[in-house]
Amino acid sequence: AARKRNSWNLLELSEAELEEQFVRGDGPGGQATNKTNNCVVLKHIPSGIVVKCHQTRSVEKNRKIAREILQEKVDLFYKGEDSDVFKEKKASEKQKQEKKRRAKENLERKKLFKEMQQLDKE
């Protein structure tokens, strides 16, 4: 989904609508995690949506990633099924189901082929 993000028609977020905090992250990482406040908590005040991002050790990168995630969630919140994010998720879900179906068909074909070989040998 990240490759198509630039072409999406997402709602713009204004900085006045955002509330930003820097907190200590959680999870593995030991001292690097426990001593630094590089986890970004971003709240969109009008919708009440909160995003927590601690993907990297850099505060600036986490701020950028948090804004991207929040923008997608706000867009999904306001547009619902008309959102590009929703459409992309549905499309990828459909592709995954189609891939599973094809894999199942191939497995059935292989079983039939093996059975035919066994019958030919006898």
Side-chain angles (χ1 to χ4, degrees), residues 30-47:
Q31 184 175 0
T33 300
N34 298 335
K35 280 196 159 188
T36 58
N37 291 338
N38 58 2
C39 179
V40 177
V41 178
L42 203 57
K43 181 178 181 180
H44 185 249
I45 298 169
S47 65

Side-chain angles (χ1 to χ4, degrees), residues 73-121:
K73 289 192 178 217
V74 167
D75 189 69
L76 189 60
F77 179 78
Y78 284 116
K79 291 184 181 176
E81 291 184 7
D82 294 333
S83 172
D84 290 341
V85 178
F86 182 80
K87 290 175 185 174
E88 180 69 24
K89 282 183 182 179
K90 282 291 186 190
S92 68
E93 197 175 289
K94 194 173 183 178
Q95 282 179 337
K96 191 183 278 187
Q97 288 175 350
E98 181 65 21
K99 191 174 180 181
K100 274 186 180 181
R101 186 189 63 77
R102 275 189 263 131
K104 193 174 181 181
E105 284 178 1
N106 284 339
L107 188 64
E108 290 295 321
R109 280 193 207 115
K110 285 180 184 179
K111 283 181 183 178
L112 286 172
F113 184 71
K114 284 183 181 181
E115 287 175 11
M116 296 296 280
Q117 281 183 334
Q118 290 293 336
L119 291 174
D120 288 346
K121 287 181 182 179

